Each structure stands twice: as structure tokens, then as C-alpha cells.
Amino acid sequence: MTTSFSDSYNIEFSAYDALGALDPILGIDTRLFIDPLLVKNTKIPEFQSAASKIEKYFESILTLLKASQKEKDIFWNQAFKNFKSSEISGLSIGYGKDNDGGGGIGKIKKLEILKNLKQILDAGTDDPTIFELIGGFQDGVGPDLISDLISNILIDDLITYTQRICLELKIPLTELNFSKSYEPQKLPKNLLNGKPVILVPKEFLRDLPIADSFMDIDWICKHNEQLRRYLNSVIEGSFKKITIKEQKGHIRKAIVDDPEFLKEILEAYRKQSPEYYNFSDDPKGETIWYEASKNYAKEYPLILQLSSQPTIDDIYKIVEKICEHFKVLIEDNQLCKLLYDKDGKRKPEAAAQLLFFGIANAYCLANNIDISPESDAGRGPVDFKFSSGSNSKVLVEVKLTSNSKLKKGFESQLPIYQKAEKSQKGIYLVIHNIEISDKRWEDFLKLTQNSGLSNLKMIDVDAIPKPSASVADE
């Protein structure tokens, strides 16, 4: 089962939220990231020296690389050792492989990053801020790496911050290990698995770091005529048609060939005003689903009954009932609003998956039914797995009609997942968030009706917002 950190300690969410910390959902990573630019603008007492710590850390790595004459000499090896990129267990943000943490990058990727930084250094740029823009020129590096770097640099501050928040909320602390590189620290315990929890200020978090926009090719070409001419000369057709890896390669070559160009980017980046994630509107659907799901489950209760030794058919009936109830909440009780932001823009598919998971989790909690998000079945992730015991499982996959792989998902994905999970039944939950052509929908319906998969059912949900009754009557 899944619960929030505040709920696990019976803390009122409003009291917890007033302190400004992210309320992690234990067992699920919130896909937001620590942005160094936001950290540098904070007034939180524990982080007043954060900006200088970040700069000094990056500066020390560059100093070692600059002194290095060749790979694996004493300076290079020390830079490699000091470059801490592992994901800290207990933060519950980013794309951790173990739900609550445990990702990071491997030695090969770290070596590649250092090689590219050395090349940029040798070209004449030694500004430590370049670390914050790594994702723009390094293939395979995203916002989670920068977030991991910053959390490693500021781990002592994050621990002190966590201790203060817990002290104010009277949450007990226990000596716990969060990393092999550190001594045990007094931290709150994840009551689901006994591991530590490290809290992060909400104001540090974004869906994508601001830095990404400064290494975006459109922004660069608007601000640098020389690079625009260079790209036009080496690339045939649209720059956007080449791979991300190729794009980053061209950007990397440009900043090595012209250090002045990189200085322009860094200066613009430093002058950028902080842009904070809107947790109230939650445009990516990463956090609002949890409280909303609890409130809907309380307002619209669903009575479920499961015997002590349920069969696969018993579990399927429960899952089907939850899916049909979710359909009613979306279509008739305004739950669909959480699939769009305040401007009516569609949120990503992950928002719909989390919303369904929240609703299902709330109803399963009282019925001793295990629900697991994104179970790894060997061939790829299944959105949800319901089970009671080890042999009775029902899989549910959530897809939006805006997803171009809607048909492919039904045709090939779930049957593969079912085989890998030794599951006998599945539900393909289709959520309409855009109007699709009659032909596309008819073709999809024919596929579901003629698939020959008797153990796989499709349920469609209309989540396209309807005008209010007063507007509809005008």
C-alpha cells in the first residue's frame, strides 16, 4: 500500500504543508527535481550558505580537471572520486529505481561527463556554473542528475532541515543509515519499509530545471547569430529532426569552439529570475492527486468485499468495480478537472495514472488488496498490479486517447505483461482527453472486440470537460 509521509504519522496535511516541505508519497517517487537556481534564491535558514557550497564544490572538481594532464593521473582520479552523483535514498523525488531512491549514474557516464568538461576547460571556460547546464550538452543526462548532484552537496543541510520540520511536528527521529558514505543520522523512519526519509523544501522543486531552457537550441539560435549560421551549415533540414544525442553533440562542439558563446549562456542563466513550480495547480499532476483521491474516496465511498481466500475472478470483480467507479467519478463528479491545468491544458498521461492509482489505493486500503504501481514484468512496466496472495493478479493499464500508442498498447503490451506476471486477467482503461476521429475510435473498438483476448477488457472513460448546466442551456 501507499501513503503520504504526513498520513503515516497522523499529521494534518494543512499543518504539515504550512511548513513548506514536500509531503513525499512513500513508495512512489514524485517526479520533480531540485533546481540549483531555486536553491540559491532561498531564505530558508538551513540553506543560507547553499549557494557558496554549490559553487565551491563544482569549482573544486574543475580545478582538479584543469590540473590533470591525462586520464587516471592523480588529479583526474581525485576529480572522479569527488564527483558524487549517486541518488540519496529517502528523498522520494526524481526517477529512482527503487521507488524511494537508489538511481544515479554509473561510472561510464560519469567518465564521459568529466571528459567533456575537461574538453570545455581546455577551450578556456572554467566557470563552475557550467555544471548546472550539463544536461544541455551531455547525452543521457537529465534533470535528475543535477538534482542528485545538488542533494549530495547539500545533504547536511537537508538533514538539518528535516530534523527541524520533524521537531516542530513532533515526529520521532531514529539513528538510520541513508548512505554507505555517511555515519547514521537522526532521521524520521519510513513506516512502510523502515528506511530513512529526508525532506525537501517545495520551493526547491521544479518539473524541469530552468537551466534546460538555456541549452535549448531554439533559445540559443535566437541569441547567437554565429551558432545559428554554424548549425545551418552543418545540418540539412530541421535541427529538431535529428536525435537529442546529435543535438547535444553539436551544442557541445559549439561551446568548445567558441568559449565566448558559452559565457553568454552562463551570464543569461545567472540573471534569470527564479520560476517556482505551481503546487496549487500542479500542471504535471505530480502531487495534487493524493489528497484529492482521499477526499473523493471519503465523499463517494465504495463498498468492497473480498473473501479471505479470493480467486482470480473475485479479485477481477473488485478491480472492475473500482474502474467503473473511477469512470463515474470522472464523468459525473468533476474528477476530470484534475487532468487539466488552470488554463485547460491537458496534463501528461502520468497524471491520469497517478489519479487512478490514488483512487484505487484509497478503496483497496480497507480491503486488504495489494496495489503496486509500475510493476516491472521483465518486458516493461505495467501501470498497476492488483493482487491478493502471490498467484492471483489483475493488471490495469491506463492510456489517454491523446497517446499515439493507444492501439499498440492494447494489441501487444498488456498480453506480454500478463504473461510475464503470470496474471490471468487485465483491464485496459482508456481515458478520453481529446476528441478523436470516429474512424480511429471505430478501428480501436474493432480491435478490442476481435482481439480474441477473453482475459482482457477495455473500459473507456470520458474525461473531456463539459460546460456547466447554465452554460449548456444558453
Side-chain angles (χ1 to χ4, degrees):
M1 287 300 171
T2 299
T3 186
S4 70
F5 176 66
S6 63
D7 275 351
S8 71
Y9 281 97
N10 296 314
I11 306 293
E12 279 291 330
F13 176 71
S14 57
Y16 181 95
D17 194 51
L19 296 177
L22 178 72
D23 190 10
I25 309 302
L26 305 179
I28 298 179
D29 278 332
T30 300
R31 295 190 179 191
L32 299 174
F33 309 91
I34 298 176
D35 193 312
L37 205 58
L38 300 181
V39 175
K40 293 176 182 180
N41 283 276
T42 189
K43 293 183 180 179
I44 298 173
E46 288 84 0
F47 300 94
Q48 289 309 292
S49 61
S52 62
K53 284 184 179 181
I54 292 170
E55 184 171 348
K56 286 178 181 177
Y57 174 82
F58 289 149
E59 202 171 55
S60 68
I61 301 284
L62 294 183
T63 298
L64 289 166
L65 287 177
K66 197 170 184 179
S68 175
Q69 298 299 310
K70 60 180 180 179
E71 280 186 43
K72 297 187 178 179
D73 66 15
I74 187 171
F75 300 107
W76 180 275
N77 288 340
Q78 191 61 47
F80 189 89
K81 181 180 179 181
N82 291 356
F83 187 15
K84 298 176 181 178
S85 58
S86 60
E87 185 175 350
I88 293 173
S89 176
L91 289 173
S92 297
I93 57 173
Y95 292 90
K97 298 182 184 302
D98 299 324
N99 291 329
D100 303 295
I105 62 169
K107 293 181 179 179
I108 294 176
K109 184 58 66 179
K110 187 193 294 190
L111 180 63
E112 190 179 326
I113 291 171
L114 292 180
K115 284 181 179 180
N116 287 330
L117 286 171
K118 175 64 173 172
Q119 191 178 20
I120 292 170
L121 274 171
D122 291 343
T125 300
D126 59 0
D127 189 329
T129 311
I130 186 63
F131 264 97
E132 298 174 31
L133 298 174
I134 287 175
F137 62 81
Q138 176 65 58
D139 179 50
V141 171
D144 49 338
L145 172 66
I146 304 301
S147 186
D148 291 341
L149 282 171
I150 300 303
S151 59
N152 272 280
I153 297 167
L154 302 180
I155 184 58
D156 291 336
D157 299 337
L158 288 166
I159 289 172
T160 304
Y161 173 78
T162 300
Q163 291 169 340
R164 174 171 65 83
I165 296 296
C166 289
L167 182 64
E168 293 191 34
L169 295 171
K170 295 181 172 55
I171 294 174
L173 302 177
T174 308
E175 291 277 348
L176 295 169
N177 280 306
F178 67 91
S179 171
K180 294 179 181 178
S181 305
Y182 289 83
E183 293 294 320
Q185 300 289 324
K186 287 189 174 182
L187 290 166
K189 184 184 291 186
N190 180 332
L191 298 182
L192 297 184
N193 59 22
K195 294 181 180 180
V197 173
I198 300 174
L199 302 178
V200 181
K202 290 201 300 184
E203 67 177 67
F204 289 3
L205 300 171
R206 279 175 55 86
D207 52 331
L208 286 173
I210 298 168
D212 276 21
S213 63
F214 291 92
M215 297 304 274
D216 178 79
I217 195 59
D218 289 334
W219 184 90
I220 291 173
C221 286
K222 286 178 183 177
H223 291 78
N224 191 279
E225 178 64 30
Q226 183 178 342
L227 179 65
R228 184 163 59 248
R229 288 199 301 269
Y230 160 74
L231 292 174
N232 286 337
S233 68
V234 298
I235 300 171
E236 294 182 6
S238 171
F239 186 80
K240 291 184 177 181
K241 290 182 180 179
I242 64 176
T243 66
I244 297 295
K245 182 176 181 178
E246 290 171 325
Q247 288 184 26
K248 291 186 176 184
H250 285 300
I251 292 173
R252 186 167 62 247
K253 184 178 186 306
I255 60 182
V256 168
D257 290 347
D258 185 5
E260 289 301 316
F261 157 57
L262 179 56
K263 289 179 182 178
E264 291 177 25
I265 295 176
L266 293 173
E267 187 61 27
Y269 170 64
R270 273 190 289 265
K271 290 180 179 178
Q272 176 70 14
S273 299
E275 297 178 15
Y276 299 97
Y277 188 73
N278 185 343
F279 281 90
S280 296
D281 187 46
D282 191 19
K284 296 297 182 181
E286 286 292 337
T287 60
I288 203 170
W289 63 272
Y290 180 80
E291 284 297 314
S293 297
K294 283 200 310 176
N295 294 336
Y296 265 83
K298 188 179 296 184
E299 186 174 355
Y300 304 99
L302 182 63
I303 299 174
L304 302 172
Q305 292 182 339
L306 193 64
S307 65
S308 59
Q309 294 183 319
T311 65
I312 184 67
D313 290 329
D314 294 333
I315 295 171
Y316 178 78
K317 289 177 183 177
I318 292 288
V319 176
E320 184 181 33
K321 190 171 183 179
I322 290 172
C323 290
E324 293 290 356
H325 189 68
F326 178 76
K327 174 182 173 76
V328 172
L329 295 179
I330 288 285
E331 295 181 347
D332 301 332
N333 299 105
Q334 302 297 309
L335 189 61
C336 64
K337 289 183 177 180
L338 294 185
L339 300 180
Y340 305 84
D341 66 16
K342 63 182 180 180
D343 298 319
K345 183 180 178 182
R346 296 188 301 272
K347 293 183 181 181
E349 191 168 76
Q353 293 167 345
L354 285 172
L355 186 59
F356 172 74
F357 173 75
I359 292 293
N361 184 64
Y363 292 126
C364 284
L365 191 59
N367 294 276
N368 196 31
I369 304 172
D370 178 45
I371 172 173
S372 304
E374 301 204 6
S375 169
D376 185 358
R379 295 290 297 273
V382 175
D383 288 338
F384 306 103
K385 177 181 69 179
F386 296 78
S387 66
S388 180
S390 59
N391 298 319
S392 300
K393 301 182 181 72
V394 175
L395 307 182
V396 177
E397 181 154 351
V398 178
K399 277 286 188 293
L400 296 176
T401 49
S402 58
N403 189 324
S404 61
K405 296 181 179 180
L406 174 67
K407 180 180 177 181
K408 181 180 178 182
F410 188 90
E411 197 171 35
S412 60
Q413 291 177 0
L414 264 179
I416 293 173
Y417 296 156
Q418 287 179 306
K419 183 178 180 180
E421 289 280 0
K422 297 180 181 178
S423 173
Q424 300 173 42
K425 289 182 179 291
I427 291 177
Y428 200 68
L429 193 62
V430 178
I431 300 177
H432 294 257
N433 67 333
I434 60 167
E435 297 285 357
I436 61 175
S437 69
D438 290 341
K439 184 179 187 310
R440 184 187 172 205
W441 184 244
E442 287 173 6
D443 289 344
F444 179 70
L445 286 179
K446 286 180 182 178
L447 173 67
T448 63
Q449 293 164 359
N450 301 322
S451 66
L453 295 171
S454 59
N455 61 346
L456 180 57
K457 178 179 180 178
M458 189 274 290
I459 295 177
D460 63 299
V461 181
D462 185 358
I464 299 175
K466 306 295 188 297
S468 64
S470 58
V471 174
D473 291 339
E474 289 180 1

